[in-house]
Amino acid sequence: MALTRQRLRELIGLAEPTVAPVSRRVEPVDGHVVEHLVLRLGDVEVRGILTRPVDNARRLPAILYGHSHGGGYAIGARELLDGREYLLDPLGPVFARAGYVTLCIDMPVFGERATVSEGSAAKALLWHGKSLFGQMLSDHAAALTYLGSRDDVDPARIGAFGISMGCVLSYWLAAMDERIAAVAHLCCFADFRTMIVLGAHDGHGIYLTVPGLLKEADGGSIAALIAPRPQLVCIGEADSLTPPSAVARAWAELEPAYGGVRDRLRLVSEPGIGHRETLRMREATLTFFATHLVEV
């Protein structure tokens, strides 16, 4: 039986908590605005960082930003403002200058939520038949709800973006949630069954372990659920976390889903490039969102 959106939610254990704003501090910065937020997700208060254009008197397109891992547990949502070593530069100001409202929240065990280790949190959830990634995706869905509720955001024009862990957060949530109109993801699209055979899976954190998932789903079949919504996939061909054969198998599962709308799916594959963003990926991302979130 073909994978369905509802079945993937069940496999992931997606359980979006309620979301409510607690506080907001507005900081004007050169050419854009930063909002420092506290959101209550269920019974937990979570830091959010939002960037936007100075003029927010109208509803704007928006981007839900999934931050990366990279062992930077103390960073979390600050990635939007501070960047990472594998990004060209911080994307919060870039997206704001391009006209987007962009939101990133601390994922569990990151940023201001780094009160327990990844291993401790993941093991406790696995004992209960759940996964840390399921919790992350549930919180990411709540952030999407908050973003779509803002007066300055057009809920019909919300995209998702992420690199590395943020890549998987972005395209897996887009597969389960049709509120995401378009998704661009970098440096973590691959077939996990192939990665296990190659031993490449061990380079990924335990957060990504979802019990039983591979009996019914994998990277390509999950990404296929996004169709016919626009999708940009960017990978480095020398990235040990996404070996070429694992990318090829995932792409072979994804591409047929766009049979009638092939122009909505694009692959940027960079020879000799490891686990990092390139100028070509950045240009493709900005063009992709301008085409599918602005010019609609």
Side-chain angles (χ1 to χ4, degrees):
M1 182 180 295
L3 181 68
T4 66
R5 200 165 285 116
Q6 179 57 37
R7 181 56 182 155
L8 181 59
R9 292 190 190 105
E10 294 169 356
L11 291 168
I12 296 295
L14 193 73
E16 179 183 339
T18 58
V19 57
V22 175
S23 67
R24 180 179 72 153
R25 178 170 62 86
V26 178
E27 178 189 5
V29 186
D30 184 27
H32 65 283
V33 174
V34 177
E35 294 187 14
H36 301 271
L37 305 168
V38 175
L39 304 175
R40 182 174 290 109
L41 306 186
D43 57 1
V44 177
E45 291 191 355
V46 175
R47 176 180 66 173
I49 296 176
L50 181 142
T51 56
R52 61 172 172 82
V54 175
D55 176 18
N56 68 330
R58 56 194 174 87
R59 291 188 179 271
L60 300 170
I63 296 171
L64 180 65
Y65 185 107
H67 71 71
S68 64
H69 189 308
Y73 296 103
I75 299 170
R78 287 290 313 184
E79 180 179 311
L80 192 64
L81 304 180
D82 299 340
R84 296 297 294 269
E85 65 274 15
Y86 34 77
L87 287 170
L88 296 179
D89 55 12
L91 275 155
V94 172
F95 285 147
R97 289 193 296 268
Y100 304 98
V101 177
T102 304
L103 172 65
C104 183
I105 67 166
D106 284 336
M107 286 290 109
V109 312
F110 288 91
E112 295 183 355
R113 304 175 77 180
T115 55
V116 297
S117 71
E118 177 183 345
S120 175
K123 290 171 186 175
L125 286 163
L126 288 168
W127 273 106
H128 288 287
K130 301 178 182 179
S131 70
L132 181 54
F133 202 48
Q135 183 182 347
M136 289 179 175
L137 285 161
S138 297
D139 288 358
H140 210 40
L144 175 61
T145 294
Y146 167 75
L147 187 58
S149 74
R150 288 177 56 101
D151 292 339
D152 57 356
V153 169
D154 180 351
R157 294 189 292 158
I158 298 178
F161 172 88
I163 185 171
S164 194
M165 182 178 83
C167 161
V168 194
L169 280 167
S170 298
Y171 87 83
W172 285 29
L173 184 60
M176 294 183 284
D177 198 322
E178 293 181 286
R179 292 178 296 174
I180 295 175
V183 58
H185 50 92
L186 282 58
C187 303
C188 210
F189 174 72
D191 182 84
F192 291 94
R193 290 164 293 186
T194 303
M195 288 201 294
I196 290 170
V197 171
L198 298 173
H201 67 293
D202 201 30
H204 296 266
I206 193 173
Y207 78 91
L208 194 50
T209 304
V210 180
L213 180 76
L214 297 187
K215 293 179 180 179
E216 300 183 52
D218 210 320
S221 59
I222 291 171
L225 291 176
I226 299 168
R229 287 167 290 151
Q231 183 171 181
L232 170 66
V233 182
C234 298
I235 60 101
E237 295 177 14
D239 186 349
S240 62
L241 295 177
T242 55
S245 59
V247 174
R249 182 171 179 180
W251 184 258
E253 285 193 276
L254 166 60
E255 191 174 27
Y258 284 84
V261 284
R262 188 58 183 79
D263 59 326
R264 296 185 185 178
L265 177 66
R266 184 183 176 192
L267 173 66
V268 174
S269 182
E270 293 274 57
I273 296 297
H275 196 71
R276 65 179 178 87
E277 182 193 26
T278 66
L279 181 59
R280 184 172 167 232
M281 293 177 188
R282 173 67 62 88
E283 291 174 344
T285 296
L286 293 174
T287 298
F288 174 81
F289 284 133
T291 300
H292 298 293
L293 296 182
V294 178
E295 301 170 7
V296 294

